[in-house]
Amino acid sequence: MNFAPLPSVDAVSVPVGGLVLDVREHDEWAAGHVEGALHVPISDFAARVGEVTEAVADGRRAYVMCRVGGRSAQVTQYLVQQGIDAVNVEGGMQAWDAAGRPMVTDSGKDAYVL
């Protein structure tokens, strides 16, 4: 059986205003995240997949992100299998931070990658 390569992009290629789907857990999100990202922790994903499909119902691409790319790869693979335009962000939030892309917190404290 042949598997198609997982669609992926680097953090620099995620467009400003693109739909970022952050699948990290709550403590990781609280430490720092992409402003405007949709937060659906992988541990809640099965129960909340409807939120994701609703967010991409207009054909938007989902840029799936975790800390380094492993959990987001699993979610990206699932979404692609469902016919959703999704790509894994290589290197995750660590790559995002290293590229100097902006991060925010809900608390207003300095953002960092946990």
Side-chain angles (χ1 to χ4, degrees):
M1 181 181 283
N2 289 335
F3 292 98
L6 186 68
S8 60
V9 297
D10 59 28
V12 176
S13 300
V14 177
V16 173
L19 173 62
V20 174
L21 171 60
D22 191 324
V23 299
R24 297 174 303 146
E25 295 304 320
H26 295 287
D27 58 339
E28 295 171 291
W29 169 269
H33 56 269
V34 177
E35 188 169 11
L38 174 60
H39 182 220
V40 181
I42 196 167
S43 60
D44 297 344
F45 190 79
R48 296 178 56 194
V49 69
E51 292 174 50
V52 177
T53 56
E54 188 175 302
V56 297
D58 59 0
R60 291 178 76 189
R61 169 174 280 178
Y63 295 88
V64 188
M65 190 168 340
C66 65
R67 183 170 182 259
V68 294
R71 290 170 286 177
S72 57
Q74 294 174 43
V75 171
T76 300
Q77 184 175 31
Y78 172 81
L79 293 173
V80 168
Q81 288 172 344
Q82 305 309 307
I84 293 171
D85 184 7
V87 294
N88 188 40
V89 178
E90 294 177 352
M93 284 299 295
Q94 287 186 334
W96 183 274
D97 187 32
R101 301 290 306 260
M103 296 186 299
V104 297
T105 62
D106 295 335
S107 68
K109 295 180 180 174
D110 288 342
Y112 65 97
V113 178
L114 178 64

